[in-house]
Amino acid sequence: MKTAVVTGGAAGIGAEIVRLLAENGYRVGILDVDPQAVATACAPYPNAVAMPADVTDEAAVAAAFDRLEGAPDLVVNNAGIVRFGKLADQTVADFRKVIEINLVGVYIVTREAVRRMAPRGSGHVIGLTSINAYGPGPGSGAYPAAKCGVKQLIKQFALEYGDQGLRFNSIAPGFIVGGMSAPIYADPKVRAARSAGVPLGRLGTPADIANAVLFLDGEGAGYITGHDLVIDGGVSHAVLRNLPRE
Ligand SMILES: NC(=O)c1ccc[n+]([C@@H]2O[C@H](COP(=O)([O-])OP(=O)(O)OC[C@H]3O[C@@H](n4cnc5c(N)ncnc54)[C@H](O)[C@@H]3O)[C@@H](O)[C@H]2O)c1
């Protein structure tokens, strides 16, 4: 049985990743910041391991990994936050918080995973980036910079630890209905306008992202490393879609 750790696994996209991995025979460790939320998220899965920790706290992350028996086979760096607002209106504390959780947290968790996986000579780490790693969004604050950083950090790990049997990839979700974006899509007008901008004609779901995790961790993807897989219905390639033609 493979063991996977999902950070931010107590809610949103992370909870769906946990569900799909458990359904596919993984033993799942749920690493999230609130111990009560972690306990609740673990309840449906008899083999789940509760790993309460803040991803920015090195000691807490190490203690959470100690709760597993041995090194995990897969670690999904899914925990993340966004602070909306134009850059000049934000505080340095807002900016730091987003970089700290979204980027430094991925470094802390991935470093912990590598230290445990490398002696065994196998393992896979996935990061969650965003289409904001490719383009800024109005009022997105430090988020695009943080996600661009995650994309490159994962590639750096892939370069340095491939010869020890480890793979590292990331997934860049587009417009996802769920998780941190759920409030945005509560407005039907926003929902319709954003759907219309997607070449595939619909918004994405947490299941679209969980399926990509399963694919990247599968046998058939064994030669893929250092890759950022964009899952966005084509929206990030659609800049010329409404170009006027005679
Ligand atoms: N929802 C979207 O539209 C979307 C789009 C692109 C990328 N993403 C990325 O997908 C990932 C999941 O997002 P979501 O929409 O499910 O968000 P969410 O807010 O629903 O869930 C995030 C989870 O991370 C946890 N978390 C936050 N800070 C933490 C910390 N310091 N330590 C441990 N856990 C912490 C939260 O408790 C929560 O369970 C994020 O990395 C996000 O940036 C989401």
Side-chain angles (χ1 to χ4, degrees):
M1 180 182 267
K2 282 172 106 176
T3 299
V5 172
V6 182
T7 76
I13 294 171
E16 179 59 16
I17 295 170
V18 165
R19 196 196 62 73
L20 195 67
L21 290 174
E23 191 179 290
N24 280 273
Y26 286 74
R27 185 175 67 124
V28 185
I30 300 179
L31 193 158
D32 211 305
V33 72
D34 174 27
Q36 188 51 53
V38 171
T40 305
C42 285
Y45 311 107
N47 288 328
V49 180
M51 300 174 67
D54 184 323
V55 293
T56 65
D57 181 338
E58 289 178 65
V61 167
F65 273 74
D66 283 343
R67 290 172 163 238
L68 300 170
E69 289 150 33
D73 301 283
L74 169 67
V75 170
V76 185
N77 282 292
N78 163 83
I81 61 161
V82 65
R83 289 264 194 281
F84 290 114
K86 289 184 79 176
L87 285 168
D89 300 331
Q90 294 209 328
T91 64
V92 173
D94 285 330
F95 193 89
R96 282 214 170 100
K97 188 88 180 157
V98 171
I99 298 290
E100 190 72 16
I101 293 177
N102 291 3
L103 178 56
V104 183
V106 174
Y107 170 64
I108 289 171
V109 171
T110 304
R111 188 185 66 166
E112 195 60 45
V114 167
R115 287 176 174 173
R116 290 162 193 256
M117 291 169 168
R120 186 187 56 201
S122 69
H124 184 202
V125 178
I126 294 177
L128 265 284
T129 62
S130 165
I131 51 171
N132 278 138
Y134 296 87
S140 296
Y143 187 80
K147 291 300 188 181
C148 210
V150 173
K151 179 158 69 84
Q152 210 60 14
L153 178 67
I154 289 290
K155 290 179 192 294
Q156 184 71 25
F157 271 112
L159 178 83
E160 293 182 359
Y161 295 97
D163 63 354
Q164 294 186 51
L166 308 189
R167 293 194 298 126
F168 301 84
N169 291 295
S170 51
I171 293 169
F175 301 153
I176 305 298
V177 184
M180 62 173 61
S181 299
I184 297 174
Y185 299 112
D187 180 345
K189 277 193 281 193
V190 173
R191 211 179 163 111
R194 288 210 181 184
S195 304
V198 180
L200 283 185
R202 70 166 176 88
L203 300 169
T205 65
D208 289 320
I209 307 309
N211 280 317
V213 168
L214 207 58
F215 161 70
L216 283 173
D217 198 49
E219 297 261 313
Y223 199 54
I224 300 176
T225 195
H227 187 69
D228 189 48
L229 181 57
V230 177
I231 310 277
D232 71 345
V235 76
S236 59
H237 303 295
V239 279
L240 301 181
R241 197 168 182 227
N242 296 320
L243 198 67
R245 293 266 182 233
E246 286 154 26

